[in-house]
Amino acid sequence: MNHKNFHSLPIFVIHKHQASSLHYDLRLEEGGVLKSWAIPKGPSTNSDIKRLAIQVPDHELSYAGFEGVIEKGYGAGPVLIWDTGTFENIHPSHSLSERLEKGSTTLIFHGEKLRGKYMLIRIRLSTPHSWLFFKGDDEHARSDYSITDEEPYSVLSGKSIEELTKR
Ligand code: MN
């Protein structure tokens, strides 16, 4: 069957993570794992703003449901599910892995916060594994809105980073 079934779409999650510095982790389901990028400033809905995204090691698929406090070690601190949903790879003849290998992909997000087209493009910098993540120009693009400031809470629990750390 060639038709894409909505229920068979892969999932994405964006964790908001207060480690030594606050950042957002974009995770995309592909091949049974979560391809992952740390985005220091988080996503933007403004198609003119390109955000640095550093690719980090794949995470286990089960980590997509994690919200809580990492107690010790690398990344210690609270993590909340800032957004989640499904996404589509719009390139019909290539898998997401193939597109990532090529260094650019366009994805359609069906999240609670992120909707529509987003791009991931690899860039060459002194920092390895550097990508840009940014909004495609569509009806969901908004230049007059800071989605990370206006919508800071978990889509799972409604909690803030501060509330997660309270016992
Ligand atoms: Mn992180």
Side-chain angles (χ1 to χ4, degrees), residues 17 23 25 27:
H17 182 190
H23 62 275
D25 293 295
R27 308 192 193 282

Side-chain angles (χ1 to χ4, degrees), residues 19 22 25 41 54 56 60 64 73-74 85 96 105 111 127 141 152 167:
L22 181 69
D25 293 295
K41 293 186 175 176
I54 309 295
V56 297
E60 285 180 27
Y74 185 75
L96 178 62
T105 189
T127 324
R167 294 304 166 100

Side-chain angles (χ1 to χ4, degrees), residues 1-11 29 86-88:
M1 193 174 91
N2 278 324
H3 297 284
K4 279 185 179 161
N5 178 336
F6 184 80
H7 298 287
S8 70
L9 291 177
I11 61 154
E29 178 187 2
T86 58
F87 72 96
E88 290 173 70

Side-chain angles (χ1 to χ4, degrees), residues 54-109:
I54 309 295
Q55 193 166 10
V56 297
D58 297 346
H59 280 55
E60 285 180 27
L61 194 50
S62 61
Y63 193 62
F66 178 76
E67 177 167 297
V69 179
I70 300 172
E71 293 294 343
K72 52 177 88 168
Y74 185 75
V79 176
L80 62 75
I81 297 179
W82 184 78
D83 196 16
T84 191
T86 58
F87 72 96
E88 290 173 70
N89 163 20
I90 69 158
H91 308 279
S93 56
H94 294 104
S95 68
L96 178 62
S97 291
E98 287 169 330
R99 293 304 313 178
L100 295 177
E101 198 72 26
K102 288 178 188 296
S104 77
T105 189
T106 301
L107 306 169
I108 309 286
F109 284 85

Side-chain angles (χ1 to χ4, degrees), residues 84-144:
T84 191
T86 58
F87 72 96
E88 290 173 70
N89 163 20
I90 69 158
H91 308 279
S93 56
H94 294 104
S95 68
L96 178 62
S97 291
E98 287 169 330
R99 293 304 313 178
L100 295 177
E101 198 72 26
K102 288 178 188 296
S104 77
T105 189
T106 301
L107 306 169
I108 309 286
F109 284 85
H110 305 287
E112 292 187 38
K113 293 175 182 171
L114 296 198
R115 296 193 166 268
K117 206 183 282 184
Y118 279 82
M119 326 289 189
L120 255 178
I121 294 180
R122 187 163 51 217
I123 51 172
R124 306 284 173 193
L125 283 183
S126 51
T127 324
H129 316 298
S130 299
W131 296 68
L132 293 174
F133 181 65
F134 56 99
K135 184 78 193 81
D137 200 7
D138 62 16
E139 72 274 23
H140 300 288
R142 287 187 67 180
S143 58
D144 58 346

